[in-house]
Amino acid sequence: LPALLAEAHSEGLNIYGTLLDGEDIYDEQLEASGIIVMGNEGKGLTAEVRKEVTHPLLIPSYPAGMATSESLNVGIATAIVLAEFRRDNN
């Protein structure tokens, strides 16, 4: 996966990844094309994959400022990310 992402990056594709130190997905301009990588709930993205992410994204806690769970199930997180890409590109 890291080699594939590096090649895509060198060809100018955006690589989006969810990270705890990413930018709020609701504040970002999301492009209609690119690659989205998702990590598992416990370990997230590997260091090698993280290096290739050009657009780190964060799904913020809700409500803002309130303590919530540390992470979302990767299926739920993927659904949120895909829904936001769809909403942002319509």
Side-chain angles (χ1 to χ4, degrees):
L1 182 59
L4 173 74
L5 295 175
E7 182 179 335
H9 186 194
S10 71
E11 294 176 7
L13 279 174
N14 293 322
I15 302 170
Y16 297 92
T18 53
L19 300 167
L20 291 176
D21 61 349
E23 299 296 325
D24 187 327
I25 191 170
Y26 301 112
D27 294 336
E28 292 298 297
Q29 178 64 41
L30 306 172
E31 300 296 325
S33 64
I35 297 173
I36 301 169
V37 291
M38 304 292 292
N40 70 30
E41 302 93 77
K43 297 181 181 164
L45 301 175
T46 66
E48 295 83 11
V49 169
R50 208 172 308 146
K51 283 188 342 190
E52 301 303 330
V53 171
T54 60
H55 295 79
L57 301 174
L58 168 72
I59 300 171
S61 297
Y62 182 83
M66 296 281 296
T68 59
S69 64
E70 182 179 315
S71 65
L72 296 171
N73 169 280
V74 71
I76 298 299
T78 301
I80 292 168
V81 169
L82 293 176
E84 187 59 16
F85 269 86
R86 170 126 178 145
R87 188 189 67 78
D88 210 37
N89 285 290
N90 275 328

